[in-house]
Amino acid sequence: MRIRTLPEYHAAYQQSVENPAAFWGACAEPFTWRKKWTSVLGGEFSPAGRSTWFEGARLNLTENCLDRHLATRGNKLALIFEPNDSKTRHQRFTYRELHQQVCQFANVLLNNGVEKGDRIIIYMPMIPQLAVAVLACARIGAVHSVVFAGFSATAIADRVQDAEATYVITADGLNRGAKQIPVKSVVDEALTTCPAVRRVVVVEHLGWPVLMQAGRDVWYHDEAKNAALTCPAEEMKAEDPLFILYTSGSTGKPKGVVHSQAGYMVWADFTFRNVFQVEENDVHWCTADIGWVTGHTYGLYGPLLAGSTSLLFEGVPTYPDAGRFWEVIDKHHVSIFYTAPTAIRSLMALPLDNVLSYSLSSLRILGSVGEPINEEAWHWYDQHIGKSRCPIVDTWWQTETGGIMISALAGITPSVPARAGLPLPGVQPVLLAQDGTEIAGNDQEGYLAIKASWPGIIRTTWGDHERARQTYFTPYPGYYFTGDGARRDADGLYRIIGRVDDVINVSGHRFGTAEIENAINQNEHVVESAVVGYPHDVKGQGIYAYVICRDGLPTSAADRTIFEASIIETVVAEIGKIAKPDKIQLVSGLPKTRSGKIMRRILRKIAEGETESLGDVTTLLDPAVVAEIVAGRK
Ligand code: PRX
């Protein structure tokens, strides 16, 4: 279904709420099904926390992403790959070529013993083989779990173990701006604690020598020599798992969000085509890495399901200079550009010349995702990139929602700075008060929850359904709880305020404060730590860590610097560079209640610089510690 006007949006929305089975059944019709569904939707939010979509159906997602298009779009570009270095030649893949590559990769996996349902961790640079590897898993019914290549060996090992993965796909190394990073050696380190991994398939990218463990590691290019270019697609049940993607929550350990086949497919396709108002000749560029959900749904599955052309970019916005995004847009005639506010904010801080040398005339639609986009960034994006002629869609969604939930449909429903806008068809947002009652009317603020299931909803958390039930479906029975706070403005448009739980959003990436604290506490000289977010001009939120050291506060500045560096090293080793604290304050104690609970509210206020409004601190176990922390604030 394609919505093209405001009245069509309202009609579709109404039908999706009144008769979801008819609405989504019609949306699912055009796909290739081996067998049609017996019921469109089932399950319940409370108490089970389970949803099913298109139960009884059989399909393969890659048949819908690739085979379905061969007759009409075989020679159309499916992927454009722009390498890190602008002097390296780009690569292009038609639907026919991508189909062959996916089949070949799938055969390599089969030849190495992969079976339907096996979990495969993919830890790779943003290169075409990453997309191919993901689709190859889907082709044969293996469950992919992509781990962003900025995570550490420990983080990979945690995910391999949690998913009970038996295969890993990786590369020799990756380019990131002027730097090259050895990827395979990070995997080697991770796998020292993962004996269940049977095979590591290594894609050659940088041409670096790597250690290959006999009997476990194989080069993709050696294996591909014996792999055919066709591969039958495995018939999957609608609710078989498609992928696991680990994401942070308010507890210490990231959880494996599970998405399944049919519902995710319908949701990715519907949201992609309608939000971005995709036309046949569009070139779509989602700058998110495939290691994040945005890359899954709008870098890969959504565009391919729609038969679109998607651009993959290996590099960073500032290499070789801060005009790289705009150069790539002109070079490949990108018409839909989808990025994160943090990227916009970092580029708008640099001279405008970086933008003015490019025409950007191919652009039609701009998108934003991952965190609230502030008005200043919205206007800069609109004026300098969109030249005030491209609608902007500010898309609110989550790893758990599979696809966009609240957003303008480009050029059709209202797009107002700092508002995500109206819900998509099928999405019923509500604002809840603390006691769980629904807040009616406009111009209201509350906890954002969703009232009914939609096809892309999380199915479970891998290996631990109770965790999904407790996190999303138990706080407010009968609703899916998002963890965000939101405001519904006078016109009924939603503005996302930010997380209301202990999750911080750094450059659009989610971390649990407990997860970072656990990492810091691994440092042998740390007794305890407390982590909070604080407003950061570029990253949205920065990470502020208060740390108590085992041997008392270091007295010299040099010792403090050494200690802080060792804390950063610990976090980098436990999680990865992306979770490095921006500020570390060494303290002799933390503000705690008499029952021992850390008063994060006070720590947040101090980190934000609001030291005048800390409230009553006299009931704390040790009120004097607050004055010390305020005095030593970074
Ligand atoms: O707080 C919201 C914020 O990002 C969280 C979801 O993070 P993640 O699962 O990593 O997915 C990011 C990409 C979909 C949300 O709970 N968030 C995401 N998009 C927006 C947003 N906050 C405000 N506006 C958005 N457009």
Side-chain angles (χ1 to χ4, degrees), residues 294 370-372 394-399 484 496 499 505 510:
T294 309
E371 46 171 325
D394 175 1
T395 62
W396 174 82
W397 59 296
Q398 308 178 300
T399 305
D484 279 320
I496 309 302
R499 301 289 304 196
N505 190 330
R510 259 163 82 170

Side-chain angles (χ1 to χ4, degrees), residues 247-248 257 292-294 298 338 341 368-373 393-401 403-404 406 419-420 480 482-485 495-501 503 505 508-511:
T247 190
S248 300
V257 170
W292 308 111
V293 75
T294 309
Y298 301 109
Y338 190 33
S368 168
V369 61
E371 46 171 325
I373 175 164
V393 291
D394 175 1
T395 62
W396 174 82
W397 59 296
Q398 308 178 300
T399 305
E400 294 87 340
T401 71
I404 297 167
I406 301 181
R419 307 274 190 289
Y480 164 86
T482 66
D484 279 320
R495 181 166 80 80
I496 309 302
I497 298 165
R499 301 289 304 196
V500 294
D501 52 8
V503 168
N505 190 330
H509 303 147
R510 259 163 82 170
F511 296 101

Side-chain angles (χ1 to χ4, degrees), residues 33 70 113 229 246 248 415 572 608 611:
W33 301 95
L70 293 183
L229 299 181
Y246 283 85
S248 300
S415 170
V572 170
E608 285 164 9
T611 50

Side-chain angles (χ1 to χ4, degrees), residues 317-319 321-324 326 343-356 380 384 538:
T318 47
Y319 180 82
D321 59 51
R324 187 68 193 279
W326 324 127
I344 299 167
R345 286 192 299 262
S346 68
L347 293 172
M348 68 189 248
L350 301 169
L352 201 55
D353 297 359
N354 289 305
V355 180
L356 295 177
W380 187 86
H384 298 296
V538 173

Side-chain angles (χ1 to χ4, degrees), residues 124-235:
M124 278 179 81
M126 267 291 273
I127 55 177
Q129 290 86 348
L130 166 56
V132 171
V134 166
L135 295 167
C137 291
R139 184 94 182 157
I140 60 174
V143 181
H144 57 79
S145 185
V146 187
V147 178
F148 172 63
F151 279 108
S152 69
T154 309
I156 301 171
D158 287 347
R159 287 155 176 76
V160 169
Q161 289 163 6
D162 188 83
E164 297 181 280
T166 42
Y167 289 81
V168 175
I169 304 173
T170 188
D172 49 358
L174 67 79
N175 294 301
R176 205 168 165 71
K179 281 188 261 172
Q180 261 119 43
I181 297 164
V183 172
K184 171 68 165 56
S185 61
V186 183
V187 169
D188 289 338
E189 192 189 333
L191 296 192
T192 55
T193 56
C194 306
V197 170
R198 290 205 287 269
R199 278 274 185 291
V200 178
V201 178
V202 188
V203 171
E204 185 174 39
H205 179 48
L206 300 187
W208 280 5
V210 298
L211 285 176
M212 296 293 279
Q213 185 175 309
R216 188 193 70 183
D217 302 352
V218 293
W219 282 108
Y220 178 74
H221 55 262
D222 288 339
E223 300 294 301
K225 286 178 197 146
N226 310 317
L229 299 181
T230 56
C231 175
E234 185 71 34
E235 186 171 291

